[in-house]
Amino acid sequence: MRPRALPRAPFVVATFVGSFLLFQVQPMVARMALPDLGGAPAVWNSAMLVYQALLLAGYGWAFWLARMPVRRQVVAHLGLLALACLWLPIGLASMEPPTGNQVVLFVPLLLLVSVGPVILAVSAQAPLVQQWYAAGGGANPYPLYAASNLGSFAGLIAYPLVVEPLLRLDTQRHDWTIGYLVLVGLVAALGLLTVRHAARTAAATSSQSSPTSTNGVAPAQRRTAGARIGRRQIATWIVLSAVPSGLMLSTTTHLSTDIMAMPLLWAIPLGLYLLSFTVAFADGRRAARWITRVAPVLLMLFGASALMSGGSANFGAATLSLVTLFAVAVALHSRLYDARPPVEKLTTFYLVTAVGGALGGVFCGLVAPLAFDWVYEHPLLVLAAGALVPLRPVLKRFDLTVLPAPRQRTVRAALLAVVALLGTALMFATTVNAQMLLLLALVAIGLLTWSFRSVYVLVLLALMCGMGARGTVPPSLSGDRVRSYFGVYTVLDDTAHHATVLVHGGTAHGIELTTPGLEQTPTAYYGETSGVGLVLDRAPVLFGDDASVGVVGLGAGTLACYRQPGQRWQFFEIDPVVVRIARDSGRFHFLSECAPDATMTVGDARLELGGVPDDTYDVLAVDAFSSDAIPMHLMTREAFDLYDRVVREDGLLLVHITNRFMDLQPVLRALVTDEGWSAMVREDQPSAEDARTKMSTFSLWVALSHTPGVLDERLATVGGEWQPLDDSRGSRPWTDDFASVLPLLK
């Protein structure tokens, strides 16, 4: 008599815990590394590749072990888990970072030495535990992958919502170590259960013949259990893994670039992507089937906005994009689940799908920013999803596949021609009524002709081009848009206001007036009545004619026009593309006309300021936002200690904190209270006349000094209304060991 199958519950728990820990360690290590390595894209692209490589290596380890007897699998994996304990508690190795381009090679080495064995061991446990569950006579092991992704989702949201706001990094490291030891205990217990079950099964098999366990797979799968997996099957797994992975990343970029760049936005698409696996690989198929049925409709209706740009903070558009992402990911992952192999090939399946997911990530994270000047990977991936998502006729009377083959070809060709004409007409339609009629016609054709996938995909393309091509494509053709790993920059000619505008995502980062006589007028957040404008305009009175000024963050170079003869200015800018736009493109003239001899330092400001001599600047202005995102390592206690070192005792530190989504006053208030700084904030609301003629905008600038009495004296000379920092919301000061944006959200 064969022994009873092992219970599923302990395998679910182990899978959940391992995936939870995996999605905790990555942001934790990133937080540890940020102060030392800075925020340059070369650093974090290298880090992403290391994580992807370690994940693939973990799946490769599981694939290799699966060819061994269960006992050897258990011993080998427990040995790896035990070996990884030598790297606990996790932390960065003591290695001196190099300078220049060598940092690109240094980062992978640092991460591999610091956490490589730990991530490798934890990455392997999900497919390996499923393999053991199948070996233990359990039912279909694939739903354990749903538990794995549920654990990943829990780890993903727990870090920014719970762990980061409540725990210091040192506490996080030790708590993670406890979790890892719990995981080792769970894996050891499961390994022991599996080995004992295998021994009992072998004994039973030797005494009597018994049918092979089906492990809950379909009969067709059982018949092909020993069959070789073909290239077509592997290609299918890769594509069905790569497209949702890439679509998740492109949706994140599209949302942050052209809809709203709010904090923690990146976590929502990733969380929905992980949850899609939980639905698609679940035992119960009803939810997956229902979502798969509606996914093509959502993709056509809301994926049509994939080519639209603009940058308005539209929560409705963001929500619809996220719902569409989730539905499409469920549909494609359900196809992946339906194409799963017999359990004997389980680890091969997961290794190949991991390769597909990595390819989607590499395409969006590394290739697209170099190949495209806008987020064109997003509409491309929407079209790819349209080519893959399961289609079923809405009404049987419109099922055109019942027609004879020659008639099908004729009808398909006619429909393709009609869709092309309607899409072209939509691109050039000028009235709302005409646009609505054309949209309805295209949607009707798309809904009623799902029998022909080519027609559906062309309808999707026509809708995207009709709704977004005229606004998005021209800047690419004219050369007025450029992209880097930090985002998309567009230079716009605002003829209505006689200005040239630099837009980063959805935020204006510089405005130059083109009206004769006003070209060098400070605009936007840097107007003459802003906090920074008042201080820099009176710098000769405050600090003498030879004042030294440092500026963190360049934008279009607007602040340069406060430079006066005899002053020494230095700009710090992390993105070389911004330097080219502001200084070399010929579209902006603040630098060339006002400060042609200013020193330009390209790199992460915190790292570069570390090499600046003590007491260098009379004024240091920190304005290093990326759209509305905050470079946290520039707002910590350690960063302000650095600013204090390079600013003279009678000098001023100015920090720009205007933000649509976060109130930064509480964290600055906590920091200055703890560290003995004096601080005042200027809330500048320009007059209607200045807003119209000089394009001045609302701004918040904080002036700080670490020398008693200096701030009051300087601000009395500067003039304007300055207020104490708001203390109505409590906050902890940010440090390299603790920082969280969650309590600061408006």
Side-chain angles (χ1 to χ4, degrees), residues 198-457:
R200 290 196 297 268
T201 301
T205 303
S206 63
S207 61
Q208 62 180 28
S209 61
S210 61
T212 303
S213 171
T214 65
N215 292 305
V217 296
Q221 291 176 303
R222 294 198 300 272
R223 288 194 299 269
T224 60
R228 182 175 178 270
I229 298 175
R231 294 180 180 178
R232 184 182 182 88
Q233 180 80 326
I234 290 175
T236 299
W237 293 344
I238 289 177
V239 171
L240 290 175
S241 303
V243 171
S245 171
L247 190 61
M248 176 269 295
L249 292 170
S250 70
T251 298
T252 305
T253 306
H254 186 236
L255 288 177
S256 59
T257 299
D258 288 287
I259 297 181
M260 54 177 189
M262 66 177 294
L264 302 180
L265 179 65
W266 60 269
I268 301 175
L270 179 55
L272 293 174
Y273 169 79
L274 295 172
L275 282 180
S276 72
F277 281 107
T278 302
V279 175
F281 279 68
D283 261 338
R285 308 303 302 153
R286 179 177 298 178
R289 292 192 187 101
W290 183 85
I291 294 174
T292 299
R293 289 296 299 268
V294 302
V297 180
L298 293 173
L299 184 63
M300 186 171 57
L301 294 179
F302 306 123
S305 65
L307 199 53
M308 294 178 66
S309 58
S312 58
N314 189 326
F315 287 90
T319 301
L320 294 175
S321 295
L322 293 169
V323 169
T324 302
L325 167 66
F326 177 69
V328 171
V330 169
L332 297 184
H333 288 150
S334 293
R335 277 197 64 184
L336 187 64
Y337 177 81
D338 292 338
R340 69 196 186 280
V343 293
E344 289 81 0
K345 306 293 184 181
L346 179 146
T347 54
T348 303
F349 173 71
Y350 285 125
L351 178 61
V352 173
T353 56
V355 170
L359 289 176
V362 168
F363 172 66
C364 289
L366 298 181
V367 177
L370 294 176
F372 307 129
D373 65 0
W374 187 72
V375 196
Y376 287 114
E377 68 271 21
H378 187 56
L380 289 176
L381 285 162
V382 168
L383 289 175
L388 294 171
V389 70
L391 297 177
R392 296 179 183 176
V394 177
L395 297 172
K396 288 186 177 180
R397 71 177 65 180
F398 292 102
D399 185 1
L400 302 178
T401 58
V402 300
L403 297 174
R407 185 79 177 274
Q408 283 190 42
R409 289 193 291 269
T410 302
V411 172
R412 182 187 292 110
L415 286 171
L416 291 173
V418 170
V419 170
L421 289 173
L422 291 175
T424 303
L426 180 59
M427 285 178 59
F428 297 99
T430 56
T431 65
V432 175
N433 288 338
Q435 291 172 348
M436 289 302 299
L437 286 174
L438 292 167
L439 282 171
L440 290 174
L442 284 169
V443 169
I445 293 174
L447 287 175
L448 298 177
T449 59
W450 281 4
S451 305
F452 295 146
R453 185 175 293 276
S454 58
V455 175
Y456 174 82
V457 173

Side-chain angles (χ1 to χ4, degrees), residues 587-630:
R587 300 302 305 275
F588 295 95
H589 306 89
F590 293 121
L591 285 172
S592 60
E593 296 294 332
C594 302
D597 57 347
T599 302
M600 189 67 62
T601 302
V602 179
D604 183 87
R606 181 161 167 184
L607 299 182
E608 298 297 336
L609 282 169
V612 172
D614 294 357
D615 302 324
T616 294
Y617 305 113
D618 294 295
V619 179
L620 178 64
V622 179
D623 177 35
F625 296 132
S626 174
S627 193
D628 281 288
I630 303 297

Side-chain angles (χ1 to χ4, degrees), residues 24 27 154-165 264 266-267 740-743:
Q24 291 274 299
L156 171 73
I157 63 171
Y159 192 82
L161 298 184
V162 179
V163 176
E164 191 176 43
L264 302 180
W266 60 269
S740 173
V741 301
L742 189 65

Side-chain angles (χ1 to χ4, degrees), residues 513-545:
L513 301 177
T514 57
T515 303
L518 297 179
E519 295 92 340
Q520 298 177 17
T521 301
T523 57
Y525 316 106
Y526 318 105
E528 295 168 351
T529 58
S530 67
V532 69
L534 292 174
V535 172
L536 293 179
D537 185 56
R538 292 161 177 77
V541 177
L542 296 172
F543 309 109
D545 293 336

Side-chain angles (χ1 to χ4, degrees), residues 7-150:
R8 176 183 289 182
F11 291 87
V12 170
V13 172
T15 304
F16 181 94
V17 170
S19 298
F20 180 90
L21 291 174
L22 187 61
F23 269 74
Q24 291 274 299
V25 72
Q26 294 182 19
M28 194 186 312
V29 172
R31 279 289 320 282
M32 295 176 190
L34 183 59
D36 294 328
L37 301 180
V43 171
W44 300 107
N45 290 338
S46 299
M48 185 188 77
L49 290 176
V50 170
Y51 287 131
Q52 292 282 7
L54 288 171
L55 179 65
L56 287 175
Y59 278 48
W61 170 257
F63 170 76
W64 180 68
L65 289 183
R67 298 181 296 178
M68 301 179 181
V70 172
R71 180 183 295 274
R72 291 178 62 184
Q73 292 181 33
V74 172
V75 172
H77 191 56
L78 287 176
L80 177 62
L81 289 169
L83 179 65
C85 288
L86 298 176
W87 277 259
L88 298 177
I90 57 173
L92 294 181
S94 298
M95 300 172 64
E96 188 67 25
T99 58
N101 293 331
Q102 291 180 338
V103 72
V104 178
L105 301 176
F106 170 77
V107 172
L109 178 62
L110 175 65
L111 294 177
L112 287 172
V113 170
S114 301
V115 295
V118 175
I119 294 180
L120 172 65
V122 177
S123 298
Q125 62 84 32
L128 201 54
V129 165
Q130 292 179 60
Q131 177 77 14
W132 293 353
Y133 179 65
N140 180 12
Y142 285 99
L144 288 178
Y145 196 52
S148 171
N149 282 277
L150 187 61

